[in-house]
Amino acid sequence: MGFLKQYQIDEIKGKIVSDKSKLGKLFKAKKSQFQHLSIDHSLVADYIAKGWEIDGKPLKTKTRIKIKKSHSKQFEDDVWCQFYKLGYRALNYDENFILPFSKEENCNKQIDVIAINDDSIILVECKSSDNMKKAPSFKDEFELLRLRLDGFRKVLNQGFGGNRKIKYIFATRNLRINLNSEDLKRLMSVKAYYYNNNTYKYIDSLILKYKKAALFQFLGLVFKNEEISKTKIELPVVKGKMGKQDYYMFSIQPSLLLKMGFVLHRTKANESEFPTYQRLLVPSRLKGITKFIDDGGYFPNSIIVNFNLRKNKFVFEANTKNEFTDSCTGTLKIPNAYGIAYIIDGQHRVYGYANSAYLNNNTIPVVAFNGLDTIKQLEIFMDINQNQKAVSPSLRLDLEEDLFWNSERADSRLKALRSSIIKVLAYSESSPLLNKISVGEDRSMLSFKPFASGIANSDLLPSAKGNKYDDDSLLASLYDINNLDHNQEMRNAKKRVSELIISCYDFVETNYHDIFSKERYFITSNRGSFAFISLIGSLNKHETIRINLTKRSTNSERFDCISIYLTYLMDTLRVLPKDEAEKQLALLGSTADIKWLRFFQTIINTRFPEYNPPELIDWKERQDEELQNKGRKLGVEIEKFMKKTILSNLKLLFKSNWELEIGSIKRACLDRAEKEKERIYKEEGINSDDIPWTDQFSINDYKSIIEKFFNKRPEDYNQNSIADFQTFSDIFTIDIGEGIGSNAKRIKWISRFNSYRNLWAHEGTKEKRLNKEEVAFLQNIHSCFCN
């Protein structure tokens, strides 16, 4: 029963705007970053002194002025605009909306945003900070909330009727509130909804991709499991069983499924539901589906859902089974509630109906499960999507934690561990990377993959194939493979690795903020993420080899050992000459991240020569032009010898028929010769003379000829007419340290030589180059032929 008089209700309604034209103008004003005023010319000086500025040319009697909104005003307006974009068309006019919660005088509360539609009334309290910080205590405010909300409901039911759901939202921007705090427990106890940076960003992405259909996902988010009405939805169904799982097949109106349905998008806004798995849908595809439906199209395949009912369980009333099937028909009674049916497959089809003319008078087929845990839902989702639209690489990396945490394979568990560590970096309130890493459907400045690659490359965790660990990766690993309680050790390693990485990033943010805050620079960039995390692991390994660190070292001890190197690196980057910085930043391609890592390592090596890891030594050798020239010269001479010797022996073996004996190879060479002539003509405009096909042999061609005629001798050999003839086996057998017990081992060097040849002969591999060991191998082969 309401306690306000009619004139008080009228005053409240008077603060609500529902006129479309006025709402449009309000929306335009509120989405601007500035407040605008038109004032008399005589007042301009006073306003300018207060920080206002002139906005355009003065009018005849007025001057338009503007001032940038405060962060609190901007946040309130942003939330207001978000509800307008969700489709709410009755909203408060300004910030002076006062709502009583008792008939006693002064028992009222200012509400920042109120949004009303046919189904719901949303009350929003906004709190914000200009910069990210820990939130103050809201104990007093939340303890009074239950009393206030009871009063608000009575007032709103009296003024707008009792058929709408009412929800109080506590919205924050740049305020960190621990999800396990007493404040949040008080807020949740009155069925209020907490709306933080992640929620705001998620709703914005829903609006961008789902347009008007975003409202249904929003309602499912804030009213999840709350009844729309007391009347249950009754549907005729077929009940069956797949494996050990019951399922139900039925048809339902899209308008009902849209309200009951909910998509578990992989976003932090849904973290209470983790593990989640869905992608945000494609807007263009959604629009196309709506048009397809409105043009008379239909989808014969079923939507797949899972009912997640926390109360008011659904009821299946079976009819009599017959002898021809294990399935049975019956009636399914489902609570009419928001967000109870998780859409595993078919969100495009479901949301395509949101703006369709057939929203209320079509039915769509559904296969429904009941009570599947989210891991099982995830498995179904992945199985379906293996053969349909591919799951994006970033989403797949994110899902690895949930897919593989309890795997029987060590390599899979390590994938899960890497995924989990990255999410600590992205979500921890203590991490400088908080909300800076794209995770699932949450887009941000840094990608997920470079962190996964960096951790995999760092040796902070071991590497494994199946259940066999790589011995070389165990020395400096922070994962104890001797702990057979895998779940416990996964948690331990997650804590050790994430704490070390956070400490290193925190060091840079605190002491070198000019470097840390610069986007797409050496630290906060995708290439920088890979290089920096790889470097942390490399330094940890270096100090472990020097016996300054062990697996039992504390994070503080570990960071103290590493920080001396990081200090020198950051000091150097801070004064890096502009041309050197630009050279590094201009690096492109798949090897750019490795080059940045080597750049970091080289800087540290100049100051600390004892830090010279094998991979850096190898890289430096590959940059040695003198070494490259030596290796190239040896390789060219080896190849010339192979060609001359093979052609000579073929002619001795087969005389005038030698070309016929290698007919398939000759045809391939002729084709290459023609392509080479075409290339020269197109690139240089020259119609070249015939290119000899014998210039087009590849090393693999030589290898095929040698293998085919390995021990072949001329037919007249026994008549001593060619007494000094040597077979291919005699000429090309070389022991490269593995013995020569088989024909394959005798010429195994050819495959290795071919791989090295590619390092100087092909444009696409010019970055890989040769090291000392590889040149020594070429020297050895050369000495067998060319002395």
Side-chain angles (χ1 to χ4, degrees):
M1 188 72 180
F3 52 78
L4 297 184
K5 300 186 183 308
Q6 186 58 45
Y7 79 88
Q8 293 174 299
I9 294 295
D10 292 340
E11 285 180 358
I12 292 170
K13 287 185 172 183
K15 288 285 186 178
I16 302 291
V17 179
S18 56
D19 179 85
K20 290 184 179 179
S21 176
K22 290 181 181 178
L23 280 172
K25 292 177 182 177
L26 265 177
F27 173 70
K28 184 177 179 180
K30 287 181 178 292
K31 73 176 182 178
S32 170
Q33 294 183 350
F34 295 90
Q35 289 179 261
H36 298 268
L37 284 178
S38 292
I39 60 172
D40 291 336
H41 298 317
S42 60
L43 300 175
V44 171
D46 292 339
Y47 275 88
I48 289 177
K50 296 176 182 177
W52 289 74
E53 58 184 278
I54 295 174
D55 182 19
K57 295 181 179 180
L59 303 175
K60 187 173 182 180
T61 60
K62 300 283 186 180
T63 298
R64 285 182 56 81
I65 59 173
K66 66 180 182 180
I67 191 170
K68 192 171 179 63
K69 295 175 183 175
S70 66
H71 67 82
S72 58
K73 173 63 176 170
Q74 184 68 61
F75 182 42
E76 291 171 11
D77 285 353
D78 286 347
V79 172
W80 191 100
C81 289
Q82 198 169 72
F83 280 92
Y84 178 83
K85 288 186 285 187
L86 279 168
Y88 284 85
R89 289 298 179 264
L91 296 107
N92 55 306
Y93 179 80
D94 58 24
E95 62 271 21
N96 298 316
F97 185 85
I98 307 298
L99 195 61
F101 53 85
S102 170
K103 61 183 177 182
E104 301 297 328
E105 192 174 355
N106 296 326
C107 285
N108 52 54
K109 183 80 168 63
Q110 184 262 335
I111 303 296
D112 294 317
V113 178
I114 178 170
I116 304 171
N117 66 10
D118 292 340
D119 298 307
S120 61
I121 299 176
I122 309 294
L123 304 174
V124 188
E125 178 82 7
C126 296
K127 301 289 183 183
S128 69
S129 167
D130 199 9
N131 298 304
M132 182 67 76
K133 69 175 187 179
K134 185 177 179 180
S137 173
F138 296 108
K139 177 177 180 292
D140 293 341
E141 185 165 345
F142 289 170
E143 284 183 342
L144 292 171
L145 196 52
R146 187 179 300 278
L147 173 64
R148 288 174 177 169
L149 289 182
D150 287 343
F152 290 159
R153 289 189 183 94
K154 291 176 183 177
V155 170
L156 294 171
N157 287 336
Q158 183 181 353
F160 299 96
N163 60 331
R164 291 179 175 87
K165 300 286 295 181
I166 297 171
K167 180 65 66 173
Y168 173 84
I169 290 177
F170 187 73
T172 64
R173 174 175 283 174
N174 294 339
L175 291 174
R176 300 199 300 264
I177 302 179
N178 190 307
L179 297 181
N180 296 315
S181 67
E182 291 301 315
D183 275 353
L184 260 292
K185 289 177 183 177
R186 293 186 188 99
L187 187 67
M188 297 300 107
S189 70
V190 295
K191 294 185 179 179
Y193 189 82
Y194 175 45
Y195 201 92
N196 59 13
N197 287 34
N198 294 308
T199 317
Y200 177 87
K201 188 177 179 181
Y202 174 52
I203 299 301
D204 248 14
S205 64
L206 285 176
I207 292 167
L208 176 66
K209 293 180 178 291
Y210 287 63
K211 306 301 180 187
K212 293 180 181 178
L215 176 63
F216 295 103
Q217 182 75 357
F218 168 78
L219 293 173
L221 189 69
V222 299
F223 291 112
K224 191 170 293 180
N225 274 279
E226 294 187 25
E227 287 184 337
I228 299 170
S229 75
K230 297 288 185 183
T231 305
K232 287 183 180 288
I233 298 168
E234 297 189 12
L235 300 167
V237 304
V238 174
K239 179 183 178 182
K241 183 181 285 289
M242 285 188 285
K244 297 180 180 180
Q245 190 65 50
D246 291 336
Y247 67 92
Y248 304 84
M249 299 176 63
F250 56 83
S251 292
I252 191 170
Q253 288 173 287
S255 56
L256 290 174
L257 186 56
L258 278 163
K259 290 183 178 179
M260 289 194 301
F262 189 75
V263 182
L264 281 172
H265 290 128
R266 190 73 172 179
T267 170
K268 201 182 178 193
N270 289 326
E271 66 184 328
S272 63
E273 303 283 353
F274 272 18
T276 52
Y277 49 86
Q278 285 276 25
R279 303 161 290 199
L280 286 168
L281 53 69
V282 180
S284 58
R285 190 175 172 204
L286 183 66
K287 185 177 180 180
I289 288 174
T290 301
K291 184 178 186 304
F292 174 75
I293 294 168
D294 287 344
D295 289 344
Y298 62 90
F299 301 97
N301 47 331
S302 298
I303 309 298
I304 300 176
V305 305
N306 174 60
F307 281 104
N308 181 47
L309 296 160
R310 296 174 185 171
K311 59 180 182 178
N312 300 321
K313 304 294 184 183
F314 72 19
V315 175
F316 173 69
E317 295 177 351
N319 298 332
T320 304
K321 289 176 62 175
N322 64 53
E323 60 183 297
F324 302 108
T325 178
D326 289 334
S327 301
C328 64
T329 60
T331 299
L332 190 64
K333 297 181 179 180
I334 309 169
N336 189 2
Y338 286 109
I340 60 171
Y342 289 169
I343 301 172
I344 298 173
D345 185 56
Q347 62 162 322
H348 280 90
R349 282 168 276 156
V350 174
Y351 283 97
Y353 272 100
N355 298 308
S356 169
Y358 296 100
L359 175 65
N360 294 301
N361 53 12
N362 262 11
T363 58
I364 49 179
V366 175
V367 171
F369 297 94
N370 180 37
L372 294 179
D373 62 42
T374 47
I375 291 293
K376 188 63 180 176
Q377 294 178 60
L378 169 58
E379 290 173 355
I380 295 173
F381 169 78
M382 294 297 287
D383 287 342
I384 292 170
N385 282 276
Q386 288 294 331
N387 299 311
Q388 296 184 19
K389 181 177 173 60
V391 177
S392 69
S394 60
L395 180 56
R396 186 177 293 278
L397 286 169
D398 175 22
L399 291 172
E400 285 179 345
E401 177 184 6
D402 305 317
L403 286 170
F404 302 133
W405 187 270
N406 294 310
S407 173
E408 293 181 359
R409 290 173 56 113
D411 53 0
S412 294
R413 291 197 301 274
L414 289 169
K415 287 181 181 180
L417 184 51
R418 288 196 296 268
S419 179
S420 182
I421 289 167
I422 297 165
K423 278 174 269 189
V424 174
L425 304 181
Y427 292 158
S428 172
E429 300 287 340
S430 65
S431 172
L433 298 172
L434 176 66
N435 294 329
K436 285 183 167 64
I437 305 172
S438 298
V439 180
E441 292 296 333
D442 291 325
R443 302 293 91 196
S444 197
M445 62 183 286
L446 301 175
S447 299
F448 197 97
K449 186 176 180 180
F451 287 90
S453 301
I455 294 172
N457 187 58
S458 69
D459 279 344
L460 292 170
L461 298 176
S463 57
K465 187 172 183 179
N467 282 315
K468 181 173 175 55
Y469 292 96
D470 179 357
D471 291 338
D472 291 340
S473 69
L474 298 177
L475 174 64
S477 165
L478 305 189
Y479 182 99
D480 183 1
I481 66 169
N482 296 312
N483 185 350
L484 299 182
D485 186 339
H486 299 312
N487 191 49
Q488 180 192 65
E489 188 54 33
M490 294 269 283
R491 292 196 302 270
N492 292 344
K494 173 181 175 179
K495 183 174 185 294
R496 295 184 196 112
V497 175
S498 60
E499 282 184 349
L500 176 60
I501 295 174
I502 286 173
S503 295
C504 294
Y505 272 100
D506 184 64
F507 168 77
V508 179
E509 182 189 35
T510 302
N511 300 288
Y512 300 90
H513 194 264
D514 53 329
I515 295 175
F516 181 84
S517 61
K518 192 181 294 187
E519 294 185 14
R520 298 182 181 178
Y521 201 57
F522 290 113
I523 300 301
T524 47
S525 64
N526 287 328
R527 282 177 286 178
S529 301
F530 170 86
F532 190 59
I533 290 175
S534 295
L535 179 69
I536 293 168
S538 178
L539 294 170
N540 175 70
K541 187 172 185 177
H542 173 64
E543 288 297 301
T544 303
I545 292 171
R546 298 179 73 198
I547 321 178
N548 292 327
L549 293 174
T550 69
K551 286 190 189 301
R552 295 186 179 182
S553 297
T554 66
N555 183 62
S556 177
E557 292 168 341
R558 203 171 297 281
F559 174 73
D560 286 346
C561 272
I562 290 174
S563 62
I564 184 173
Y565 303 104
L566 296 182
T567 299
Y568 183 74
L569 172 66
M570 292 301 133
D571 285 342
T572 303
L573 292 178
R574 179 173 271 171
V575 297
L576 196 67
K578 183 179 179 182
D579 60 341
E580 179 61 23
E582 289 176 349
K583 174 186 172 183
Q584 295 296 327
L585 295 170
L587 292 174
L588 300 173
S590 59
T591 61
D593 50 1
I594 287 287
K595 288 178 180 177
W596 275 23
L597 171 58
R598 301 294 177 251
F599 176 56
F600 290 175
Q601 290 176 318
T602 301
I603 290 173
I604 294 172
N605 172 252
T606 59
R607 172 66 180 81
F608 302 96
E610 71 278 7
Y611 172 73
N612 200 21
E615 65 271 16
L616 181 60
I617 296 171
D618 179 86
W619 183 79
K620 285 180 178 179
E621 290 174 359
R622 296 180 192 276
Q623 310 314 303
D624 184 339
E625 290 300 332
E626 185 177 341
L627 188 68
Q628 303 311 307
N629 291 334
K630 179 181 179 181
R632 187 178 297 109
K633 181 180 178 182
L634 290 168
V636 169
E637 290 180 2
I638 292 168
E639 190 171 353
K640 284 181 179 179
F641 173 83
M642 293 180 74
K643 178 181 179 180
K644 178 182 176 182
T645 304
I646 289 170
L647 289 179
S648 175
N649 257 26
L650 284 173
K651 291 173 183 177
L652 287 172
L653 285 168
F654 303 109
K655 299 183 173 51
S656 61
N657 294 323
W658 73 271
E659 293 182 26
L660 297 176
E661 290 288 342
I662 58 168
S664 61
I665 292 175
K666 178 180 178 179
R667 287 189 291 275
C669 290
L670 286 168
D671 183 57
R672 291 176 205 143
E674 288 300 313
K675 288 179 179 177
E676 180 64 10
K677 286 171 62 178
E678 182 182 355
R679 183 193 67 78
I680 293 172
Y681 174 74
K682 287 182 177 179
E683 293 182 4
E684 302 177 23
I686 299 173
N687 188 355
S688 62
D689 295 333
D690 285 344
I691 296 175
W693 68 268
T694 52
D695 288 348
Q696 301 301 313
F697 282 114
S698 70
I699 300 300
N700 283 330
D701 291 335
Y702 295 147
K703 183 171 182 284
S704 296
I705 294 169
I706 292 168
E707 287 176 325
K708 185 174 181 180
F709 306 115
F710 199 55
N711 291 301
K712 178 77 173 171
R713 295 178 185 273
E715 292 180 359
D716 55 356
Y717 176 79
N718 291 329
Q719 290 150 21
N720 297 319
S721 58
I722 315 179
D724 59 346
F725 179 84
Q726 287 184 297
T727 65
F728 288 130
S729 173
D730 296 331
I731 300 168
F732 293 109
T733 294
I734 298 177
D735 185 357
I736 57 173
E738 298 181 13
I740 52 173
S742 65
N743 288 352
K745 282 191 174 182
R746 288 170 180 264
I747 58 171
K748 187 172 181 179
W749 68 268
I750 298 177
S751 296
R752 189 167 164 188
F753 170 74
N754 191 39
S755 68
Y756 294 165
R757 180 189 184 277
N758 291 336
L759 298 182
W760 71 75
H762 295 162
E763 185 69 20
T765 57
K766 65 182 181 181
E767 299 291 350
K768 296 181 181 178
R769 301 161 66 93
L770 296 162
N771 64 16
K772 285 184 178 179
E773 181 182 347
E774 291 159 353
V775 172
F777 171 84
L778 295 174
Q779 181 72 67
N780 179 46
I781 302 300
H782 184 273
S783 67
C784 294
F785 298 144
C786 306
N787 286 343

